[in-house]
Amino acid sequence: MEIMDKKIIKEMERWIREIEQFFTQKPPEQIYVSVAVIALTFFVFLIVRLLKYSKSNTVVIAGLSGSGKTVLFYQLRDGSAHQGTVTSMEPNDDRFLLHSESEKKGKKNHVHVVDVPGHSRLRPKLDDFLPQSAGLVFVVDSLDFLPNCRAAAEYLYDILTKAAVVKKKIPVLILCNKTDKVTAHSKEFIKKQLEKEIEKLRVSRTAISTADITNEYTLGVPDEVFSFTQCRNKVLVGEASGLKGEISQLEQFIRNQIKA
Amino acid sequence: MLEQLLIFTRGGLILWTCKELGNALKGSPIDTLIRSCLLEERSAETSYQYDSPGAAYTLKWTFHNDLGLIFVAVYQRILHLLYVDDLLASVKKDFSSIYDPKRTAYNDFDEAFRQLRAEAEARGEEMRKMKQSVGRGPVVRGGKKQGQIRDAKNGLVQGVGKKGGKSGKSGGGKADSNGDSGKKNDSENRDSKSANGHTSNGYVDDTRVVLKSKENSISSSNGGAFDVNKLQKLRAKGNKKTGDINTVTKVSSNINATKKKPTKLNRVWDDAPSKAKLDFTDPVDGRGDEKVQVVVANEGESMMDKDEVFSSESENESEGEQVHNAKTGAKKKGWFSSVFQSISGNAVLEKSDLQPALKALKDRLMTKNVAEEISEKLCESVAASLEGKRLGSFTRISSTVQVAMEQALVRIMTPKRSIDILRDVHASKEQGKPYVIVFVGVNGVGKSTNLAKVAYWLLQHNVSVMMAACDTFRSGAVEQLRTHARRLDIPIFEKGYEKDPAVVAKEAIQEASRNNSDVVLVDTAGRMQDNEPLMRALSKLINLNNPNLVLFVGEALAGNDAVDQLSKFNQKLADLSSSPTSMLIDGILLTKFDTIDDKVGAALSMVYISGAPVMFVGCGQSYPDLKKLNVKSIVKTLLK
């Protein structure tokens, strides 16, 4: 046994000596360079990961089913709605240059836009994209507004009371879509209606219990009628027409959020 | 003749439609298909019927799961095109070869499609000629099991019934109601399911053709109708026997339960110390009138408003975690090759690969008390959505299946409309009408108890409630409600026993609008789903009074019967309704949830079969024991 141990120890010593010889033989610059390269890659990796986490550069498009989100997504990307759309079953997620900016010269930023399906069974998918979002577009159908007013207000209320939205103060753009049609409502009307509905919701949901299961935060100031100016995050209202391609207000919002 | 064939992505963009068949589709069949079928996890079915004023289409579809494409063919219902499945398969193969995620216009596919269609039509013609020459084969083909033969008979019954011009039934499947038409068409599609695979669709079509000719020869639809009646009678006889036995045992057990045995101990479900006061009967005089001081029940905050403490760490376990120990013993086709493939991640999932994992999952679901039929359909739907997909790197088949199943379950259990009753009550209040809720269900599920719990919860939210005792059949039912009303200090409308419940309900609603009650809770007698006269009485009550919410009360202990109960209730309500827009079950109240530990499958069965959300969960026998359903915890428990 002892002989075996001695033999092993001798072997190891020999190896160590060989390695030392190997290192001392090589010119020192090579060793320094190799160590430096390893350290550099390590640091670069760290920096990239840090940057990725702190940067939120996604704009999320949400809204009720049928309000025109997928059309707007493709307008932003390609400038046309192609052959039409059907109810989305999965989110559309892409990073691209805004189509209208493709002719412009100068520095162009890629934007990352996500179109989340509006069907109520797929609502949980919105939560996957909120952590990295820099702005949220809530699309409202201005044509068929009144029958869906309550559902739209509930969805908007849910979004505005989510922890991610309140804590990070994600700005929200309420986009009234389909304004090219004659019977579409104006954005002021829609804004007022939404405020009224959210006021009713607020009263029925907050004045009741201290621990509300579904909503994490409460909106507005008690004893005052709700208005979007009371939200801690910025809430804007805009108009657009997905089919006709008039999406300038939407593009402006996106550009503001991504550059910032 | 095909009406239209579309190819679109899962994200919703239409990639290609056939320009030759330029007919605009009436209504919105594709959107309805997506909403009522594909998103409801019924994608394993073979076809979908769409009805709208002016159009009756059948839709067939197929998926390409790897590229995320969906191919849908639409044609008129009265035609029976045999070549559609064939055509869809060949279109899928062809299109996948030219598909490019960056491209959005595929005009070159027109030519290829024209060829494919011509080929498919030719093949269909050949097949039909072959079949007709083989002769009128056995009328009921397909069905190696007894159950399947019965299903085929039912299918024939319904198929013939449709042809016989009973458009009332198919009218029930209205176009834009979410999930209702899907569920109805579920039963109608069973005839195509009884045949195996799409080639034998031809057989079923052939039998339909055969029956049609028989009808014509008899020169009246009575020939077909005779068969229908005969078959229905047979079925009804068989079911009535079991139904009667069930009613008798349930009624007797009910009577036993209401009798107060002095030596009976209070049942304790958890380790809470037993309450001191056991006897809640108030000292009353002969008639039981309010001649006593009643302490209004105040048992604390209803559990509806309590936050559900739920650990979210388990979410990370199943969501997207890749190297996971498979609990199911998935058969591996050679250990080394499968490990290698799971690392490289290029294996295309075949149905045979999915089978063992799916079977294990199905068994697990069934041990959690999910109805057998529902587990089967769910597993098939998940298989349909995974077939042809590429495995991600470092994933095992079983974990992929698990993730897909979890997503599907969350999708089903997420309510597709708002379950905020308080908001609805406020809306009704503004209109000046009382909000009417009707509680229906079979015997002994806990309707009256949970009605009191709902009343307690509403009272806590400053809503004025009124009860209506429309259970005029069971002895003690009116007194039971009267006791609850006294303890909660709310008005009750009663007319005693042996009165028509529909009329009692109507008068109760009028009374409520007179004394400005916000909500009317209507209690009905328990009834078996097969009992025709009782179901007729129930639908009369609902039609006469047009309630805002029809709550089906089902117990969480029910197993396969839950599926039967709900589907029959819905069917009867739809059939026997007089108005074109029939009222169906709007919500589910799940009771006795505290008695099942983790066998929570009944919730899934009920939601799947009816499409209605679970509004409340009863989890105990005192007033505050009413909760909301926590979707994530149920899914976690089901897949544990």
Side-chain angles (χ1 to χ4, degrees), chain B residues 259-275:
Chain B
K259 251 194 249 166
K260 264 250 167 105
K261 295 204 181 111
T263 56
K264 190 171 180 189
L265 282 173
N266 197 15
R267 195 165 298 200
V268 182
W269 288 110
D270 46 17
D271 288 321
S274 59
K275 303 196 179 72

Side-chain angles (χ1 to χ4, degrees), chain A residues 64-67 70-71 73-74 77-78 80-92 94-95 115 117 119-125 127-128 149-151 153-154 196-198 200-205 207-215, chain B residues 6 8-17 19 30-31 34-35 38-40 63 70 101-102 104-107 178 301 303-308 319 407 410-418 420 422-424 426-427 430 460-461 607 611 628 632:
Chain A
L64 285 184
S65 197
S67 47
T70 309
V71 167
F73 178 83
Y74 282 103
R77 194 180 87 163
D78 305 326
S80 95
H82 305 294
Q83 303 185 33
T85 58
V86 293
T87 310
S88 313
M89 290 199 274
E90 276 180 6
N92 284 318
D94 206 359
R95 177 179 258 108
D115 156 34
H119 196 260
S120 23
R121 288 208 192 264
L122 301 170
R123 291 273 164 91
K125 296 224 191 241
D127 300 329
D128 297 337
C149 180
R150 235 191 83 185
E154 270 182 32
K196 266 201 281 185
E197 281 293 329
I198 294 187
K200 285 190 219 160
L201 273 175
R202 199 168 69 87
V203 163
S204 75
R205 285 203 198 177
I208 307 162
S209 53
T210 46
D212 208 330
I213 303 179
T214 46
N215 302 113
Chain B
L6 287 115
F8 52 91
T9 65
R10 284 194 90 100
L13 182 69
I14 298 181
L15 290 176
W16 183 84
T17 70
K19 290 186 199 58
I30 312 282
D31 276 338
I34 296 180
R35 288 201 194 135
L38 303 182
L39 280 176
E40 302 271 328
F63 298 112
I70 306 174
K102 298 291 175 197
T104 51
Y106 294 86
N107 297 319
N178 302 328
E301 212 180 305
M303 274 168 66
M304 283 284 284
D305 305 319
K306 289 220 181 85
D307 228 338
E308 178 103 6
E319 278 242 284
Q407 283 176 352
V410 168
R411 238 198 333 247
I412 297 178
M413 304 284 291
T414 308
K416 61 181 168 217
R417 52 187 200 82
S418 150
D420 194 357
L422 290 172
R423 183 74 190 82
D424 292 333
H426 282 296
E430 278 163 30
Q460 287 197 321
H461 290 202
V607 172
K628 278 201 180 102
K632 292 205 181 83

Side-chain angles (χ1 to χ4, degrees), chain B residues 82 85 127 131 141-142 191-207:
Chain B
L82 309 173
D85 292 299
M127 269 202 326
K131 245 161 269 149
R141 199 76 86 108
D191 56 3
S192 40
K193 256 195 140 175
S194 69
N196 306 327
H198 49 254
T199 46
S200 3
N201 252 339
Y203 286 126
V204 179
D205 292 331
D206 193 36
T207 56

Side-chain angles (χ1 to χ4, degrees), chain B residues 348-363:
Chain B
V348 174
L349 282 172
E350 298 282 321
K351 229 190 169 92
S352 50
D353 299 336
L354 296 170
Q355 282 303 42
L358 278 178
K359 187 164 178 337
L361 227 100
K362 179 180 162 201
D363 290 334

Side-chain angles (χ1 to χ4, degrees), chain B residues 277-294:
Chain B
K277 184 172 174 225
L278 287 180
D279 184 7
F280 288 123
T281 49
D282 301 301
V284 293
D285 66 3
R287 268 206 66 222
D289 282 349
E290 311 77 275
K291 290 221 172 147
V292 283
Q293 268 303 337
V294 178

Side-chain angles (χ1 to χ4, degrees), chain A residues 48-158:
Chain A
V48 163
R49 285 202 64 189
L50 278 177
L51 275 182
K52 249 203 232 173
Y53 272 129
S54 61
K55 207 162 149 195
S56 37
N57 55 354
T58 313
V59 172
V60 179
I61 306 183
L64 285 184
S65 197
S67 47
K69 302 179 287 298
T70 309
V71 167
L72 283 172
F73 178 83
Y74 282 103
Q75 281 282 4
L76 281 174
R77 194 180 87 163
D78 305 326
S80 95
H82 305 294
Q83 303 185 33
T85 58
V86 293
T87 310
S88 313
M89 290 199 274
E90 276 180 6
N92 284 318
D93 182 353
D94 206 359
R95 177 179 258 108
F96 50 81
L97 284 173
L98 288 176
H99 180 82
S100 53
E101 282 183 349
S102 55
E103 285 102 44
K104 256 177 35 178
K105 300 208 179 100
K107 196 169 93 131
K108 293 178 243 184
N109 275 337
H110 279 254
V111 300
H112 182 207
V113 181
V114 178
D115 156 34
V116 175
H119 196 260
S120 23
R121 288 208 192 264
L122 301 170
R123 291 273 164 91
K125 296 224 191 241
L126 176 62
D127 300 329
D128 297 337
F129 294 105
L130 275 183
Q132 13 147 320
S133 86
L136 190 133
V137 180
F138 187 79
V139 184
V140 175
D141 183 352
S142 1
L143 197 56
D144 214 8
F145 178 62
L146 286 173
N148 299 323
C149 180
R150 235 191 83 185
E154 270 182 32
Y155 195 9
L156 184 58
Y157 182 83
D158 281 336

